[in-house]
């Protein structure tokens, strides 16, 4: 039968440019957010996280921005490299005693050399 | 540390057969998670354990799926009987309850194909 799958949003950038990947989360009570990177054939790999008492957090070449008012999260990658090509997922923890993460559908980042 | 270890990496089986997936979490981690990833549904949490006790199994699709964690260093996910729609990549992840409590470390996954 027909293979209908998720339509992954795709961001195509040139090597050396900055990339911005966006994510809308669903639960206003969520207090912890993570960005994961998943390369083909591998498991998701942690990139950076942020708690709800912060608006911005920086890592090496990556910055996460959190806008709680509109429930929006973004991942900025500076000087994008071919090795950054992967699917990027945001995930939220809905707070309370649970340790569950709810993952978004992902964005495919394609870096053109 | 070797990270989260999963076995087998690939499994091909026929409909109706029993399938057992295995996971060894990172030593010292007290949370263990089982996920399923498909093109149709993305990454779904099936069940998670804390200190070997199942905490939330609301994501387990049906009674054909069961998971156990007999000790802190080993967990299994069993499907019996398997069906073609169970074909997916199954990930195990573990995390610590201290430090960054929610950062989960994922294994390489088991790609399951049910014919």
């Amino acid at each position: 039968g027909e293979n209908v799958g998720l339509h992954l949003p795709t961001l195509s950038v040139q090597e050396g440019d900055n990339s911005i990947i966006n994510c809308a989360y669903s639960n206003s009570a969520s207090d912890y957010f993570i960005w994961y990177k998943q390369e083909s054939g591998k498991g998701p790999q942690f990139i950076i996280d942020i708690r709800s008492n912060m608006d911005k957090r920086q890592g090496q070449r990556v910055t996460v921005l959190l806008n709680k008012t509109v429930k929006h999260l973004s991942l900025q990658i500076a000087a994008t490299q071919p090795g950054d090509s992967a699917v990027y997922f945001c995930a939220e923890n809905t707070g309370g005693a649970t340790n569950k993460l709810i993952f978004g559908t992902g964005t495919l980042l394609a870096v053109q050399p | 540390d070797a990270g989260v270890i999963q076995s087998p990496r690939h499994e091909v089986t026929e409909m109706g057969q029993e399938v057992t997936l295995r996971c060894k979490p990172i030593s010292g981690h007290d949370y263990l998670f089982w996920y399923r990833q498909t093109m149709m549904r993305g990454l779904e949490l099936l069940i998670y354990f804390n200190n070997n006790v199942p905490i939330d199994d609301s994501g387990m699709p049906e009674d054909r799926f069961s998971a156990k964690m007999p000790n802190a260093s080993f967990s299994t996910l069993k499907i019996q009987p398997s069906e073609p729609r169970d074909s997916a990549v199954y990930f195990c992840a573990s995390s610590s309850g201290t430090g960054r409590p929610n950062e989960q470390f994922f294994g390489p996954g088991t790609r399951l194909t049910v014919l």
Side-chain angles (χ1 to χ4, degrees), chain A residues 3-6 32 34 36 38 41-46 49 51 57 89 93 97-101 103-104, chain B residues 9 31 33 35 37-43 45 48 56 58 91 95 99-104 106-108:
Chain A
N3 184 17
V4 179
L6 285 174
Y32 181 75
I34 301 182
Y36 279 92
Q38 186 176 23
K42 297 183 178 179
Q45 180 183 14
F46 173 88
D49 59 1
R51 298 205 177 269
R57 189 155 190 242
F89 293 94
N93 173 266
T98 180
N99 211 17
K100 288 170 62 170
L101 289 175
F103 282 80
Chain B
R9 292 296 310 277
Y31 286 88
F33 306 81
Y35 290 87
Q37 187 174 42
T38 62
M39 286 298 295
M40 287 288 291
R41 302 174 68 90
L43 194 61
L45 176 66
Y48 81 94
D56 185 342
S58 59
F91 289 103
S95 71
R100 288 187 292 198
N102 299 113
E103 178 188 352
Q104 296 178 17
F106 282 77

Side-chain angles (χ1 to χ4, degrees), chain A residues 49-58 65-68:
Chain A
D49 59 1
I50 188 169
R51 298 205 177 269
S52 59
N53 60 351
M54 301 173 70
D55 297 322
K56 178 179 180 179
R57 189 155 190 242
Q58 288 184 294
L65 298 178
L66 175 62
N67 185 330
K68 295 180 288 293

Side-chain angles (χ1 to χ4, degrees), chain A residues 8-9 21 36-40 44 47 84-89 105-109, chain B residues 37:
Chain A
L8 276 182
I21 301 171
Y36 279 92
K37 171 187 180 182
Q38 186 176 23
E39 297 174 280
S40 181
I47 302 173
D84 295 326
S85 295
V87 177
Y88 290 80
F89 293 94
T105 54
T107 296
L108 174 63
L109 176 64
Chain B
Q37 187 174 42

Side-chain angles (χ1 to χ4, degrees), chain B residues 5-25:
Chain B
I5 299 172
Q6 291 187 247
S7 65
R9 292 296 310 277
H10 302 274
E11 177 81 30
V12 180
T13 191
E14 293 187 345
M15 182 174 62
Q17 297 297 306
E18 176 181 301
V19 174
T20 300
L21 311 181
R22 297 172 175 80
C23 175
K24 176 177 168 54

